[in-house]
Amino acid sequence: MRVYDRNLERFPVTVDLYGPYARVTDYSEEGLEEEEERICCDIVSRMLYIQADRVIFHRRPKRVGKEQHSLQGETSLVLQVTENELFFTVDLTKRIDTGLFLDHMETRMMVESMSRGCRVLNLFSYTGSFSVYAARGGAASVESVDLSATYTAWAEKNLADNGYGTAMYPCVAADAWQYVVEALSSGKVYDLIIFDPPSFSNSRKMEYDFDVQRDYQRWMKVLNALLAREGILVFSTNLGTFRMDTKAVRGFEVQEITAQVAAPGFTRRLGTARTWLLTKQQDVRITAADLRTVEKKAGRDQREEQVDDEIMKKEEVSKDIDVQEEKIVAEVAQEEAIAAESVQEDEVVAESAEETVQEEESSDLELEIEEAADEIEANEVEDDLLTLRWDDEDIAPLFEESEEAEQPEADRAPRKEYERRSDEPRGARDDRRPSFRDRDDRRPSGDRPSYGERRPYGDRSERPSFRDRDDRRPSGDRPAYGERRPYGDRPERPSFRDRDDRRPSGDRPA
């Protein structure tokens, strides 16, 4: 397990325990100095109670571009370690990786719990650690596929050391993509697939390269066709910049479980495996284009192609530059000719300009003279307006109108009295009241008391009160409200049509 994961900036190293050994891996860019390396190994030996000669210091150089890691040494330090009571062989010195990825410890245990009765396919199987856990979990069959014959033999040893023979758990040294395509054509079906590819691979045994970020969608289409309904795909990668486009992955229910399967001791995100569970929901149609591989070689051939492309681009750029220079020279010559012509035109224009200036000056003088004459005439007209005299005859009619308005009312002509219009019908009632001035029979205001002078109560004639009225008809002589006299006892009144004695309308007074 991992006990130190680059926690201090001064010591950017990791420390992993493998049985009685401790492996220190230096991740610094320039590498630690000899004194710092000695201090690290001394601290690990004393803190973990490990002998000093069993602390292995290993430097992990940073890859340039997509280069592959090479062997780290000529000799191997091989030993067998245990993880959850399972046996695994590791190499602590010769290779960049030991043969057992410690950050997958929890993921391997999850695969064991899911494998009972399942048909399991382990792609890019490496040393077969996932296959060993699946076999212990009770898988019906486990197929391990890896391109390297060395790692395939390593996986067979790990299975055999744990009691699982190759008859039920075969290990195949083959290209994983070709194996998947052949399995699809032969109609194989799996319940659980482990897909843990490298971030990048350009092995000499391959006619194409592999890039997990570029190729994962195409792989998942084909793996969907290999899975049974409700089958599970376990996908994992340690590429820190990887981005999963869940919308582009069809036919699966996608769930990232990185936090749930984080191994103890691993505290850094970059460089640590990320894991997804993809549960198949429906089949996805596979096309011929999906089954084609990338037709580009990797490594040296690819770099040579890139160099050739750059050379061709430079040649094209140089040709473009020459063409542009020729165009520029032609444009300069054309501009010089135009400039010579423009100089001549400028001289002509200058002469004409001088003539126009003289003409403008003379015209300006004429304008000033005309404006001065106009100003003199305007002053003379203004003086005439100010000295105008009015005759008295023009003012007289105004006084005559004012005198007529001031005449007294008695001297004015009397108003015409109202005359009946000829179209007014005869006998029409004259509802007009006499004018205010014609009311001569009015009672003089002296005979009436003023508003404030009211007649005293003592001078008024007494009126009998309501209770003193004895001459009223007793109520007994009148029928009650409800006892009305029958119609037969009433005297007959002539109807409207029987009134013959009416006076004709012509005899009525007007």
Side-chain angles (χ1 to χ4, degrees):
M1 64 175 298
R2 178 158 294 184
V3 294
Y4 178 82
D5 192 20
R6 291 172 278 181
N7 301 92
L8 297 178
E9 185 178 358
R10 182 180 177 183
F11 297 106
V13 301
T14 60
V15 180
D16 299 322
L17 286 177
Y18 291 92
Y21 288 84
R23 173 166 159 145
V24 180
T25 304
D26 180 12
Y27 282 88
S28 61
E29 294 183 1
E30 301 296 333
L32 296 178
E33 297 180 358
E34 293 184 0
E35 181 62 20
E36 293 175 334
E37 179 181 338
R38 186 191 66 79
I39 293 172
C40 280
C41 293
D42 180 66
I43 293 173
V44 169
S45 175
R46 289 186 292 107
M47 297 299 294
L48 299 178
Y49 299 97
I50 293 176
Q51 296 179 11
D53 58 349
R54 292 189 175 182
V55 177
I56 309 300
F57 190 89
H58 174 76
R59 186 173 182 272
R60 189 183 184 100
K62 188 176 182 180
R63 290 188 301 178
V64 177
K66 294 182 178 181
E67 291 182 353
Q68 296 290 96
H69 286 300
S70 58
L71 295 176
Q72 301 299 302
E74 295 295 333
T75 60
S76 296
L77 177 58
V78 179
L79 71 152
Q80 191 177 74
V81 297
T82 59
E83 182 185 78
N84 297 320
E85 301 179 356
L86 291 173
F87 301 100
F88 298 97
T89 299
V90 296
D91 188 347
L92 300 182
T93 57
K94 191 174 182 178
R95 292 175 173 80
I96 194 72
D97 296 311
T98 63
L100 186 67
F101 294 121
L102 300 183
D103 55 346
H104 276 160
M105 182 176 66
E106 294 292 335
T107 309
R108 286 190 284 268
M109 294 176 65
M110 181 193 68
V111 167
E112 179 185 3
S113 65
M114 298 166 56
S115 298
R116 181 165 297 280
C118 293
R119 295 160 292 181
V120 181
L121 175 62
N122 185 10
L123 297 172
F124 301 94
S125 58
Y126 192 42
T127 59
S129 58
F130 277 111
S131 300
V132 173
Y133 273 87
R136 190 173 74 169
S141 63
V142 180
E143 298 177 18
S144 304
V145 182
D146 196 279
L147 183 61
S148 173
T150 302
Y151 291 138
T152 300
W154 200 332
E156 290 178 348
K157 184 179 185 305
N158 284 334
L159 284 166
D161 290 342
N162 289 279
Y164 306 110
T166 56
M168 287 183 61
Y169 311 104
C171 298
V172 182
D175 178 22
W177 178 254
Q178 296 297 334
Y179 189 88
V180 165
V181 172
E182 292 176 2
L184 182 62
S185 61
S186 62
K188 288 187 176 181
V189 179
Y190 301 93
D191 303 303
L192 177 62
I193 297 178
I194 296 100
F195 181 50
D196 181 29
S199 300
F200 177 80
S201 177
N202 57 357
S203 175
R204 289 174 295 178
K205 297 180 180 179
M206 301 165 55
E207 296 181 356
Y208 54 90
D209 59 3
F210 173 83
D211 189 326
V212 65
Q213 184 66 73
R214 181 193 65 197
D215 300 331
Y216 79 97
Q217 294 182 18
R218 181 168 57 93
W219 272 84
M220 289 180 179
K221 266 191 173 183
V222 178
L223 296 181
N224 177 279
L226 286 177
L227 278 171
R229 183 58 64 92
E230 300 297 329
I232 296 176
L233 172 64
V234 179
F235 170 59
S236 182
T237 180
N238 64 342
L239 180 62
T241 58
F242 181 81
R243 295 292 180 270
M244 167 77 82
D245 187 359
T246 57
K247 295 181 179 179
V249 179
R250 304 289 182 84
F252 287 105
E253 179 185 353
V254 183
Q255 178 186 6
E256 184 174 1
I257 58 170
T258 302
Q260 291 86 328
V261 295
F266 286 83
T267 60
R268 298 180 66 87
R269 178 180 177 183
L270 294 179
T272 304
R274 295 175 62 192
T275 308
W276 289 265
L277 279 182
L278 293 88
T279 305
K280 180 176 179 179
Q281 300 295 323
Q282 59 185 4
D283 294 326
V284 177
R285 187 172 63 89
I286 303 298
T287 62
D290 296 328
L291 298 178
R292 285 199 300 266
T293 56
V294 180
E295 299 296 339
K296 289 185 178 180
K297 292 183 179 180
R300 182 178 178 181
D301 296 338
Q302 188 176 5
R303 287 195 296 272
E304 289 178 355
E305 291 177 0
Q306 293 176 354
V307 171
D308 294 338
D309 293 338
E310 292 177 358
I311 292 173
M312 292 178 64
K313 289 179 180 178
K314 289 180 181 179
E315 291 178 355
E316 292 176 357
V317 170
S318 63
K319 290 180 181 178
D320 294 337
I321 292 172
D322 295 337
V323 173
Q324 291 177 0
E325 288 178 353
E326 293 177 358
K327 289 182 179 179
I328 291 171
V329 171
E331 291 175 357
V332 169
Q334 187 176 2
E335 289 177 357
E336 290 177 354
I338 294 171
E341 294 177 358
S342 63
V343 168
Q344 296 177 358
E345 293 177 357
D346 291 338
E347 293 176 356
V348 174
V349 170
E351 294 176 357
S352 62
E354 292 177 357
E355 295 176 358
T356 55
V357 168
Q358 293 175 0
E359 293 176 358
E360 289 176 358
E361 290 178 353
S362 61
S363 63
D364 291 339
L365 290 172
E366 293 176 358
L367 288 172
E368 290 177 358
I369 293 170
E370 291 177 359
E371 289 176 357
D374 294 338
E375 185 174 0
I376 294 169
E377 292 178 359
N379 292 332
E380 291 176 357
V381 172
E382 187 175 0
D383 293 337
D384 293 339
L385 290 174
L386 293 174
T387 56
L388 286 176
R389 295 181 179 178
W390 300 92
D391 295 332
D392 294 338
E393 297 178 357
D394 297 333
I395 304 173
L398 297 176
F399 285 100
E400 292 176 1
E401 291 179 2
S402 61
E403 291 175 0
E404 182 180 356
E406 293 177 357
Q407 288 180 3
E409 184 177 356
D411 298 338
R412 294 181 184 177
R415 296 183 179 180
K416 295 182 179 181
E417 294 184 0
Y418 175 79
E419 295 180 1
R420 181 183 299 169
R421 294 190 306 177
S422 61
D423 57 347
E424 190 172 351
R426 184 178 181 181
R429 183 178 179 182
D430 188 3
D431 292 334
R432 290 185 301 104
R433 297 180 181 178
S435 64
F436 179 77
R437 300 181 183 277
D438 298 336
R439 295 178 182 178
D440 299 330
D441 56 346
R442 291 180 301 164
R443 186 172 60 179
S445 60
D447 299 340
R448 291 183 297 176
S450 63
Y451 178 76
E453 297 176 359
R454 299 186 65 183
R455 188 167 54 187
Y457 285 99
D459 300 339
R460 296 181 183 178
S461 59
E462 295 183 359
R463 288 184 295 176
S465 65
F466 180 75
R467 299 184 182 276
D468 298 336
R469 296 179 181 175
D470 299 330
D471 55 344
R472 290 180 303 166
R473 186 173 59 178
S475 60
D477 299 339
R478 290 181 295 176
Y481 178 75
E483 298 176 359
R484 302 183 64 181
R485 187 169 55 184
Y487 287 98
D489 300 335
R490 297 181 182 178
E492 293 183 358
R493 290 183 293 178
S495 64
F496 178 77
R497 298 183 181 277
D498 298 332
R499 297 178 182 177
D500 298 328
D501 54 345
R502 290 183 298 168
R503 186 170 51 184
S505 58
D507 301 334
R508 296 179 184 177

